[in-house]
Amino acid sequence: MKVILARENGFCFGVKKAVELTEAAAEQGGAVYNLGQVVHNPIISERLKSKGVEVIGAPGEAPEGTVVIRAHGVPPAVRAEIEERGLTCIDATCSLVIRAQRFTKQLADEGYKVIILGTPTHPEVVGLKGFAGDDFVVVETKEEWDKLPKMKRAGVVSQSTQPPWAFRDLVSHLTDISQELKVFNTVCPVTVKRQHAASELAEVVDTVIVVGGKNSANTRELVNLVRMNGGTAYHVENEAEIDASWVAALEAVGLIGGTSTPMETLLAVKERIESIAAAAAA
Ligand code: SF4
């Protein structure tokens, strides 16, 4: 059995920075809170917990100390609330998300109706909505953007982890229904590279194990891509979720993780697959 790792794996730079800033804050001492899980990964969550970091859902849950904003960013009102409460704020918003927030605000300030491609409840989109003024809409599927009315001035941005083809399709549709269109491509190039790596993997193996949080948007997109390429994809969060029957009889299996999946989790999954294969061959 050969386990083939995708050519792109491990944390993206945005997630790496958020984890490092949280760990550095914890080492300074005092109460440290992550506003939402910094990564959707149980190993990292446990590691941060063991260093005293607590996860909160809103700034009001932190009585004192330091609040770390994760890579997804927050709406301006949440950032303001952290400061109004006298809490120390460490802003680990990814530079690419800050760029998307700036473009969203620019579109709103210039009077465009802001169209955001993304999942309405995803934290990054919740943050973007806070920059989009009063006239905006979030769309996620073709069925949703097909229902958009004709518009005079439309401006479009995307949640970073949306697939490039969806962004292209949306922009193409908006070209037909708007008189003036301004486009900021805010799809994250790191996730695009990861998606290409997943497609490449699906070309050389029939089965790919995709490792990452069940609520991680970019991990779910990797699962979709493998399936769209005709492969079989299993989505697991860790090695304990591997079912021996998926891999025992295979000659080769692909392995890829989302941008918030640490290499240590990926290697633990690899080890588990190899031990299943060894037991099957014995
Ligand atoms: S996926 Fe891209 S936008 Fe999101 S945190 Fe990572 S580098 Fe930043």
Side-chain angles (χ1 to χ4, degrees), residues 11-16 71-72 92-97 124 160-161 186-191 218 259-260:
F11 281 163
C12 64
F13 63 84
V15 168
K16 187 167 178 283
H72 296 315
T93 309
C94 175
S95 56
L96 295 179
V97 176
E124 185 187 324
S160 59
T161 45
T186 58
V187 173
C188 168
V190 181
T191 60
N218 79 83
T259 56
S260 55

Side-chain angles (χ1 to χ4, degrees), residues 78-216:
V78 173
R79 172 73 201 247
E81 192 188 341
I82 295 171
E83 279 155 19
E84 278 157 20
R85 289 179 176 275
L87 301 160
T88 304
C89 180
I90 295 181
D91 190 349
T93 309
C94 175
S95 56
L96 295 179
V97 176
I98 292 174
R99 178 176 166 270
Q101 292 173 340
R102 216 177 43 232
F103 287 148
T104 304
K105 182 173 183 319
Q106 182 183 333
L107 290 171
D109 289 348
E110 290 175 356
Y112 290 91
K113 181 182 183 76
V114 182
I115 319 291
I116 302 170
L117 173 66
T119 306
T121 52
H122 187 281
E124 185 187 324
V125 176
V126 172
L128 289 178
K129 288 194 278 191
F131 290 85
D134 298 327
D135 190 14
F136 69 86
V137 62
V138 181
V139 288
E140 189 173 17
T141 62
K142 184 176 181 325
E143 290 70 37
E144 286 168 9
W145 66 69
D146 276 348
K147 287 185 199 143
L148 289 173
K150 290 201 166 161
M151 286 170 273
K152 277 206 173 120
R153 304 180 79 218
V156 59
V157 290
S158 172
Q159 178 186 337
S160 59
T161 45
Q162 287 290 314
W165 56 264
F167 190 67
R168 270 196 305 273
D169 284 0
L170 171 62
V171 170
S172 159
H173 178 66
L174 290 172
T175 309
D176 292 336
I177 61 167
S178 56
Q179 288 176 19
E180 185 189 336
L181 179 63
K182 195 160 186 169
V183 178
F184 286 116
N185 183 352
T186 58
V187 173
C188 168
V190 181
T191 60
V192 173
K193 270 196 198 164
R194 194 68 57 103
Q195 288 161 9
H196 286 159
S199 299
E200 281 173 21
L201 207 50
E203 279 169 22
V204 293
V205 289
D206 294 332
T207 300
V208 178
I209 307 291
V210 184
V211 189
K214 295 278 161 62
N215 48 359
S216 156

Side-chain angles (χ1 to χ4, degrees), residues 209 236 238-247 269 272-273 276:
I209 307 291
V236 297
N238 53 50
E239 68 278 15
E241 292 180 10
I242 300 281
D243 187 324
S245 68
W246 298 344
V247 291
V269 172
R272 163 108 172 104
I273 296 170
I276 291 169

Side-chain angles (χ1 to χ4, degrees), residues 14 17-19 21-22 38 68-73 90-95:
K17 183 181 90 172
V19 173
L21 285 174
T22 306
V38 71
V68 184
I69 297 173
R70 59 185 165 177
H72 296 315
I90 295 181
D91 190 349
T93 309
C94 175
S95 56

